[in-house]
Amino acid sequence: MVLQPGLKRRLTRVFVSAAAVAALGASSALAAPAVVAEPSATTIPGVDEIVHSPNLRSIANVPQQGPFTKDSTGTDIAFTKGHAIIGTYDGFNVFDVRNPYRPKIVSQVLCPGGQNDVSVSGDLLFLSTDYARSDNSCNSAAKPASDKTAWEGIKIFDISNLAAPKYVAAVETDCGSHTNTLVPDKRGKDVYIYVSSYAPAANLPDCQPPHDKLSIVKVPVKDPAKASLVATPVLFPDDGGNPGGTNPDGTRRSATTGCHDLTALPEKDLMAGACMGDGVLLDISDRLKPRVINRVQDNVNFAFWHSATFNNDATKIVFTDELGGGGMATCLEKFGPTRGANGIYEITGRGDNRKLEFRSYYKIPRLQSETENCVAHNGSLIPVPGKDIMVQSWYQGGISVWDFTDSAKPKEIAYWERGPLSNEKLVVGGTWSAYWYNGHIFSSDIVKGLDVLDLNDWRTFPAKLVRQNEFNAQTQYKLHPGFNK
């Protein structure tokens, strides 16, 4: 989710209420929602009513509970050892999802500091803090980012015991850590955390313009307490990236002052950057010196380059445009099929001559109401050999499964969504992230908690054979039946 540049740094408390670390068990609460299948493209379901295609159904829901409440905004997901770890602005939940029909909470860690996006590597978990705090502890208080003593950055937890995570270290980074991307080194001794952050301002001592850089944190696997900031490469040293402006329909186009999301493909030494006003292809063969190979802009339809996903053969990248920052109703007729959508780009050429070539847009075909925040958001590939199929969150637009094997003609093959949280006013909610893991779709809903869905479609049956021990959406590997990472 995006807050407008300059605004997020002035906010000192957003969906944050907890101030201690706890690890405790809780039983899951499984919802059995009413279902109405196959609405028309113009039908708006009732409040909390679920609609879906026949091939995609809900099999479990675990609402926020224990120390987390309905105000504990659910964010991103990482997976390890058959467990889903879901961030919230208050901390994170650890779910046992080995039986996807009966997911169970095994621990909850209170550690405020939105967004608390998560990634995992072995026995380590990395937590992003992008709201200024009084210190790096989990007992910190909100503090203005204009205060030089405020803290933002990466927190590191030992999750060797998933029932009792332990906080072991923290590394401060300029502008905080909105998201983080894990990249292993080539020797297997260390991991690098690429920190994405943005929205500098003249009154922010640790986030000065233009901030066209990344922060890279080195974490020794065997001694994570020695984690440190080791590089701050500038991606756009010559022109500073997209200067921003106004799109033809009057909406604002973001200037590039950092990156929102980075997605690595370590086997190929590649990274895709969604950098506010630019889509970027990077060479990361030297882990501390990422190098821009090619960059693209879309000054007609894209407002905010938010995230990126490679296809399985590393011949395409799907970039998302988070028009309205995730808090706006953009799945309306007046925005059409190309605003707040995905842009599909093919990678052509070889080596330093590789280019990103635009092919088409994809947006969910179902209109939403004026009270539903809806725009392209986080998703992942469904590993089907020879096909490019993705599952993706659209906030209150729900979950879409779509095929972009033909880059010029993407099409939806399944969907699932709840009706609006309110018919009276826009209330922010819906699915933040939807990822494929070990045969099922797992979704983090901002308000409703964890959803688990079963996709029963002949086109995706081969993906049921893929097993992963560990999964981070922003660290991709070539997947195939029998794969285990």
Side-chain angles (χ1 to χ4, degrees):
M1 177 173 283
V2 174
L3 291 174
Q4 293 301 314
L7 176 60
K8 80 180 183 71
R9 302 270 155 195
R10 294 195 296 271
L11 296 178
T12 59
R13 187 175 188 275
V14 178
F15 302 118
V16 171
S17 63
V21 177
L24 50 96
S27 61
S28 63
L30 302 181
V35 169
V36 178
E38 292 291 356
S40 72
T42 57
T43 299
I44 305 298
V47 172
D48 282 345
E49 181 183 22
I50 289 178
V51 294
H52 63 93
S53 57
N55 56 351
L56 184 60
R57 67 187 182 99
S58 171
I59 59 174
N61 170 263
V62 186
Q64 295 284 17
Q65 57 192 270
F68 296 144
T69 69
K70 65 179 181 179
D71 293 326
S72 297
T73 304
T75 61
D76 212 1
I77 318 174
F79 300 86
T80 184
K81 304 172 186 176
H83 290 68
I85 302 174
I86 302 182
T88 82
Y89 277 69
D90 287 319
F92 60 91
N93 292 288
V94 181
F95 296 87
D96 183 338
V97 296
R98 287 172 291 184
N99 179 353
Y101 290 85
R102 296 195 64 81
K104 298 182 295 183
I105 295 176
V106 298
S107 63
Q108 296 180 288
V109 174
L110 295 171
C111 196
Q115 297 180 154
N116 279 337
D117 278 10
V118 291
S119 63
V120 295
S121 179
D123 290 333
L124 299 176
L125 177 141
F126 308 100
L127 193 70
S128 285
T129 299
D130 196 36
Y131 284 83
R133 310 296 300 177
S134 57
D135 55 55
N136 65 8
S137 76
C138 286
N139 298 304
S140 65
K143 199 168 191 177
S146 57
D147 186 331
K148 178 63 178 173
T149 66
W151 187 93
E152 298 173 278
I154 288 285
K155 299 186 178 96
I156 303 170
F157 289 79
D158 181 331
I159 55 169
S160 53
N161 181 356
L162 288 163
K166 295 179 180 179
Y167 185 12
V168 297
V171 178
E172 187 171 12
T173 59
D174 286 350
C175 278
S177 174
H178 195 68
T179 62
N180 73 80
T181 301
L182 184 150
V183 181
D185 78 350
K186 296 184 177 182
R187 301 174 303 161
K189 293 183 178 180
D190 305 310
V191 293
Y192 294 105
I193 307 302
Y194 287 64
V195 172
S196 299
S197 57
Y198 61 94
N203 68 323
L204 305 178
D206 294 325
C207 193
Q208 291 288 297
H211 190 69
D212 294 322
K213 66 181 182 181
L214 311 178
S215 297
I216 303 178
V217 174
K218 179 181 177 180
V219 185
V221 173
K222 293 185 178 180
D223 193 0
K226 292 183 177 179
S228 62
L229 181 68
V230 293
T232 55
V234 175
L235 295 186
F236 312 109
D238 298 327
D239 62 6
N242 196 323
T246 303
N247 287 320
D249 67 355
T251 57
R252 291 290 299 168
R253 181 174 67 255
S254 293
T256 297
T257 57
C259 294
H260 182 279
D261 247 1
L262 300 164
T263 299
L265 196 61
E267 294 167 297
K268 299 283 188 178
D269 288 331
L270 290 176
M271 178 173 278
C275 300
M276 301 179 70
D278 293 83
V280 184
L281 180 65
L282 299 153
D283 180 303
I284 57 168
S285 52
D286 184 334
R287 297 291 194 247
L288 299 184
K289 296 179 180 179
R291 185 171 55 86
V292 174
I293 300 173
N294 191 230
R295 51 190 276 213
V296 290
Q297 298 176 353
D298 182 343
N299 293 334
V300 174
N301 287 304
F302 264 45
F304 190 96
W305 296 69
H306 175 275
S307 53
T309 302
F310 288 97
N311 72 334
N312 203 32
D313 294 326
T315 58
K316 304 175 188 178
I317 301 175
V318 174
F319 289 103
T320 68
D321 173 25
E322 196 184 36
L323 172 66
M328 188 167 132
T330 73
C331 296
L332 306 174
E333 188 173 3
K334 65 182 179 181
F335 288 103
T338 60
R339 305 302 318 284
N342 298 317
I344 303 166
Y345 288 76
E346 291 188 353
I347 302 172
T348 62
R350 302 179 66 179
D352 284 354
N353 292 320
R354 282 173 285 194
K355 304 290 184 184
L356 294 168
E357 301 283 352
F358 174 77
R359 293 293 180 258
S360 67
Y361 298 101
Y362 170 77
K363 189 172 182 178
I364 56 172
R366 293 168 310 288
L367 296 178
Q368 304 296 305
S369 74
E370 295 273 1
T371 66
E372 293 177 286
N373 59 308
C374 175
V375 75
H377 210 233
N378 295 348
S380 72
L381 292 183
I382 297 178
V384 180
K387 298 287 186 182
D388 297 324
I389 300 177
M390 186 173 176
V391 57
Q392 187 176 13
S393 286
W394 289 77
Y395 290 110
Q396 288 192 73
I399 294 169
S400 177
V401 179
W402 59 288
D403 186 327
F404 62 104
T405 307
D406 183 341
S407 302
K409 296 180 179 179
K411 60 183 180 181
E412 185 173 76
I413 63 174
Y415 68 89
W416 183 94
E417 67 168 286
R418 288 186 175 93
L421 290 168
S422 169
N423 284 330
E424 305 301 323
K425 62 181 180 179
L426 195 153
V427 178
V428 172
T431 173
W432 180 292
S433 300
Y435 300 138
W436 179 272
Y437 179 69
N438 291 354
H440 290 86
I441 292 168
F442 295 85
S443 165
S444 170
D445 188 284
I446 290 173
V447 175
K448 302 292 186 180
L450 169 66
D451 286 303
V452 188
L453 294 91
D454 181 51
L455 178 63
N456 186 15
D457 190 287
W458 62 271
R459 290 162 289 196
T460 59
F461 281 159
K464 296 279 189 180
L465 301 176
V466 176
R467 286 293 177 268
Q468 293 178 264
N469 180 48
E470 188 175 285
F471 174 83
N472 298 292
Q474 284 76 44
T475 307
Q476 292 186 237
Y477 294 90
K478 185 176 175 66
L479 302 179
H480 52 79
F483 177 93
N484 194 335
K485 179 67 177 178

